[in-house]
Amino acid sequence: MSIKAQIESLLQDGLHPEQIEVINESHQHAGHQPGFDGAGETHMRVRIVATQFGGMSRLQRHRAVNDLLKPVLDAGLHALAIEAAAPGESRRW
């Protein structure tokens, strides 16, 4: 299973979000380290809207997502950007 699919599955099961988008941004980091061509799934962005985020701070939302994605992070995901919102909140994405 791809890292993107793992992330989607873990977040679906854990938060039952109204909206979720997982974006592979690895290609944007090509050349940042010697020998890295941007291939693979090393840098991911998650955009997620879930009822559970209501009343939570940005830090609490990020911790909730990181806790659910611990297996993926422990397996070697290099970078994870999180954009988390509750339903009805204004978003720039």
Side-chain angles (χ1 to χ4, degrees):
M1 179 183 302
S2 72
I3 291 172
K4 179 180 177 179
Q6 291 175 52
I7 291 170
E8 289 171 344
S9 178
L10 289 166
L11 293 175
Q12 285 286 356
D13 292 347
L15 294 171
H16 308 287
E18 291 184 9
Q19 179 184 346
I20 186 170
E21 183 179 11
V22 179
I23 304 160
N24 183 350
E25 296 183 338
S26 302
H27 65 283
Q28 296 175 353
H29 300 273
H32 289 186
Q33 292 181 333
F36 181 64
D37 64 359
E41 294 179 298
T42 59
H43 296 72
M44 306 298 281
R45 177 173 302 274
V46 171
R47 293 179 174 155
I48 184 167
V49 178
T51 304
Q52 292 89 328
F53 294 144
M56 294 174 87
S57 70
R58 182 177 179 201
L59 180 60
Q60 290 170 321
R61 293 172 185 193
H62 283 228
R63 284 181 176 158
V65 170
N66 281 323
D67 288 348
L68 288 170
L69 298 183
K70 187 174 181 347
V72 178
L73 294 164
D74 288 349
L77 181 64
H78 178 71
L80 177 66
I82 301 169
E83 299 174 23
E89 291 180 348
S90 62
R91 301 181 299 276
R92 292 180 286 162
W93 33 278

